Amino acid sequence: MTDLTDDQVKALLEGATPGPWQSSAAAEQLPFGVMPRIYSADGTLLAEVGNLTLDQDAWEANARLIAAAPDLARALLDARAELAALEAEETGT
């Protein structure tokens, strides 16, 4: 997904489970290995992050990135709005 419009980013946020999200503090031991998990603020399991071709550090990094996605999307929208305001101020529109 590249070049998402503000409306598309907002739709993604509105359709998602409310945050904040968090990755499990420690990856959880499963029968086939260890897998980080993503939880909603109320403790609901949202996703298990794993891939047998990746090492544990990569799994955990992916889990942290996924958990941060809603905050990153909101920061993107805020930055775009601020940029638009600055451009409008500069051009006088």
Side-chain angles (χ1 to χ4, degrees), residues 26-41:
E28 299 175 37
Q29 184 68 43
L30 300 173
F32 53 84
V34 182
M35 182 172 293
R37 293 179 169 176
I38 309 296
Y39 295 95
S40 68

Side-chain angles (χ1 to χ4, degrees):
M1 297 179 121
T2 59
D3 299 327
L4 294 172
T5 67
D6 286 358
D7 287 341
Q8 290 169 319
V9 174
K10 289 174 186 175
L12 289 170
L13 285 169
E14 289 169 3
T17 302
W21 295 358
Q22 61 186 4
S23 60
S24 53
E28 299 175 37
Q29 184 68 43
L30 300 173
F32 53 84
V34 182
M35 182 172 293
R37 293 179 169 176
I38 309 296
Y39 295 95
S40 68
D42 68 2
T44 301
L45 176 64
L46 299 175
E48 294 179 327
V49 182
N51 180 322
L52 296 177
T53 63
L54 297 176
D55 65 24
Q56 183 63 35
D57 291 337
W59 286 13
E60 291 175 2
N62 289 342
R64 287 190 300 275
L65 178 60
I66 292 166
D71 294 329
L72 294 171
R74 285 185 199 88
L76 170 67
L77 292 172
D78 291 346
R80 285 180 175 176
E82 185 175 334
L83 180 59
L86 290 171
E87 287 173 343
E89 183 180 308
E90 186 176 288
T91 61
T93 57

